[in-house]
């Protein structure tokens, strides 16, 4: 943390806590039709970035879980029709996973609900003209964990 502004770190930590809480509430609000765990949500986010599919090991690394646990998680999600897995044509030992149209709809529904909640939260907060570019820089630094 050397060199980092402690006040900035504190504010960002509060934002991260709030964002996780807001996401959890939004998933719950989506109801029983969605019925996702936070780990499953993370999978939808990771897979939503790449339409061509991602190797199971990469998904595991991105969600911070072991490959066997991720494989079981993906199997449950596949049975529910949210993801699809297939052998990688370039390396038959590897498995690629991608969102199904149903999984993408669930992901988009939660993102839309969360964005609406965020818009409500910040609607009355005056923002300086340079806030968005500054936050964009911070978001870019956080992208490795998205």
């Amino acid at each position: 943390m050397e060199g980092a502004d402690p006040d900035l770190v504190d504010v960002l930590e509060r934002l991260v806590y709030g964002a996780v809480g807001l996401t959890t509430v939004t998933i719950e609000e989506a109801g029983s039709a969605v019925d996702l765990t936070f780990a499953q949500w993370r999978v939808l986010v990771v897979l939503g970035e790449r339409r061509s599919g991602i190797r199971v090991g990469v998904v595991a690394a991105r969600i911070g879980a072991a490959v066997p646990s991720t494989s079981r998680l993906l199997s449950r999600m596949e049975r529910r029709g949210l993801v699809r897995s297939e052998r990688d044509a370039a390396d038959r030992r590897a498995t690629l996973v991608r969102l199904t149209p149903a999984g993408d709809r669930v992901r988009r529904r939660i993102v839309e609900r969360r964005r609406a909640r965020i818009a409500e939260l910040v609607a009355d907060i005056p923002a300086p003209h340079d806030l968005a570019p500054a936050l964009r820089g911070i978001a870019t630094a956080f992208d490795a964990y998205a």
Side-chain angles (χ1 to χ4, degrees), residues 8-42:
L8 177 60
V9 172
D10 288 343
V11 169
L12 290 174
E13 186 172 37
R14 285 179 56 204
L15 285 170
V16 169
Y17 284 146
V20 170
L22 178 60
T23 299
T24 303
V25 167
T26 306
I27 291 168
E28 287 298 317
E29 286 177 348
S32 61
V34 174
D35 193 29
L36 289 177
T37 65
F38 197 78
Q40 290 169 334
W41 165 248
R42 290 285 300 132

Side-chain angles (χ1 to χ4, degrees), residues 1-113:
M1 198 161 98
E2 188 176 316
D5 177 349
D7 288 337
L8 177 60
V9 172
D10 288 343
V11 169
L12 290 174
E13 186 172 37
R14 285 179 56 204
L15 285 170
V16 169
Y17 284 146
V20 170
L22 178 60
T23 299
T24 303
V25 167
T26 306
I27 291 168
E28 287 298 317
E29 286 177 348
S32 61
V34 174
D35 193 29
L36 289 177
T37 65
F38 197 78
Q40 290 169 334
W41 165 248
R42 290 285 300 132
V43 169
L44 294 182
V45 170
V46 169
L47 295 180
E49 297 171 2
R50 294 206 193 130
R51 301 292 178 201
S52 60
I54 303 175
R55 288 178 172 213
V56 172
V58 173
V59 173
R62 294 285 306 277
I63 68 170
V67 172
S69 298
T70 302
S71 293
R72 288 189 298 275
L73 177 68
L74 292 168
S75 291
R76 287 191 299 275
M77 293 178 75
E78 189 164 18
R79 284 192 298 275
R80 293 183 53 208
L82 300 171
V83 301
R84 183 179 74 235
S85 63
E86 59 193 37
R87 290 284 172 213
D88 185 345
D91 180 356
R92 302 297 293 167
R93 297 169 297 166
T95 300
L96 294 176
V97 183
R98 63 176 47 93
L99 286 182
T100 63
D104 191 50
R105 280 191 301 277
V106 168
R107 184 189 62 79
R108 281 187 288 117
R109 181 181 327 151
I110 292 169
V111 167
E112 289 167 6
R113 285 174 180 257

Side-chain angles (χ1 to χ4, degrees), residues 126-138:
H129 72 281
D130 58 347
L131 182 60
L135 289 176
R136 195 170 292 113
I138 293 168

